Amino acid sequence: MAKVGIVMGSDSDMPVMAKAAEILDKLGIDYEMTIISAHREPDVFFDWAKAAEDKGFKVIIAGAGKAAHLPGMCAAIFPMPVIGIPMKTSDLGGVDSLYSIVQMPSGIPVATVAINGGANAGILAAKILATSDVELLAKLKEYSESLKNDVVKKAEKLEQVGYKEYLAQMK
């Protein structure tokens, strides 16, 4: 049974939302992903959001751009955590989406990650689930350790080859 619902308002959001899914895959967390426009098909959205708890979702990750109502509407209906991902937009660079998601009224919180922050949304969902799952917590600790090790390896390489060669190898 899927523990995380991933919903986006448009297929143009897929590259960002896929980053959340990749993290969940890496950590072995089941999820269900769909595209629903809260504005263009509100009846479909309401049915999906109302059924989310019965489907076994413990967290919803919702990505949206511009007016970005999808995460807030999920939070208004779904009784458990909702993580909003503001999408970068061509009009205002995603600041419109960010403000829309982060400025929720009292009583309807949406945890909000950075603009296009799909990976962090996946990690945050995993951390929420790990509060009651010791195996997942161990996987998250391993993941954090691998991030640390990646930085250490990069620092060692920089020390070995110098910054000019390091930059050249990055290109």
Side-chain angles (χ1 to χ4, degrees):
M1 185 178 327
K3 292 185 178 179
V4 178
I6 299 176
V7 62
M8 65 202 88
S10 170
D11 64 348
S12 64
D13 302 334
M14 185 64 74
V16 173
M17 302 308 283
K19 291 178 183 176
E22 289 167 9
I23 292 292
L24 298 176
D25 284 337
K26 183 178 281 193
L27 296 170
I29 299 169
D30 291 330
Y31 60 90
E32 177 183 302
M33 183 184 288
T34 192
I35 301 167
I36 303 173
S37 172
H39 297 114
R40 294 181 182 97
E41 48 185 1
D43 51 336
V44 174
F45 166 74
F46 282 114
D47 290 345
W48 182 86
K50 286 179 182 179
E53 183 179 4
D54 290 339
K55 286 183 175 183
F57 296 172
K58 303 298 182 199
V59 180
I60 289 176
I61 299 172
K66 300 193 180 203
H69 290 127
L70 191 60
M73 289 304 297
C74 286
I77 296 168
F78 183 67
M80 289 178 268
V82 174
I83 302 167
I85 304 175
M87 295 294 157
K88 186 174 182 181
T89 59
S90 58
D91 300 328
L92 299 173
V95 174
D96 47 348
S97 312
L98 174 65
Y99 287 163
S100 180
I101 296 170
V102 79
Q103 288 294 98
M104 291 300 298
S106 181
I108 314 292
V110 174
T112 309
V113 295
I115 296 168
N116 284 356
N120 271 355
I123 294 166
L124 181 55
K127 286 184 173 195
I128 291 167
L129 295 172
T131 61
S132 60
D133 184 332
V134 294
E135 289 178 27
L136 180 55
L137 181 59
K139 289 178 183 179
L140 276 166
K141 288 178 180 180
E142 288 175 20
Y143 178 78
S144 293
E145 187 67 21
S146 73
L147 294 176
K148 174 189 161 194
N149 291 338
D150 288 346
V151 173
V152 169
K153 287 177 188 174
K154 290 174 184 177
E156 289 171 352
K157 182 178 177 181
L158 174 61
E159 289 174 15
Q160 290 173 356
V161 300
Y163 83 90
K164 289 180 183 176
E165 180 63 27
Y166 192 93
L167 282 173
Q169 291 177 10
M170 290 178 67
K171 295 179 182 180

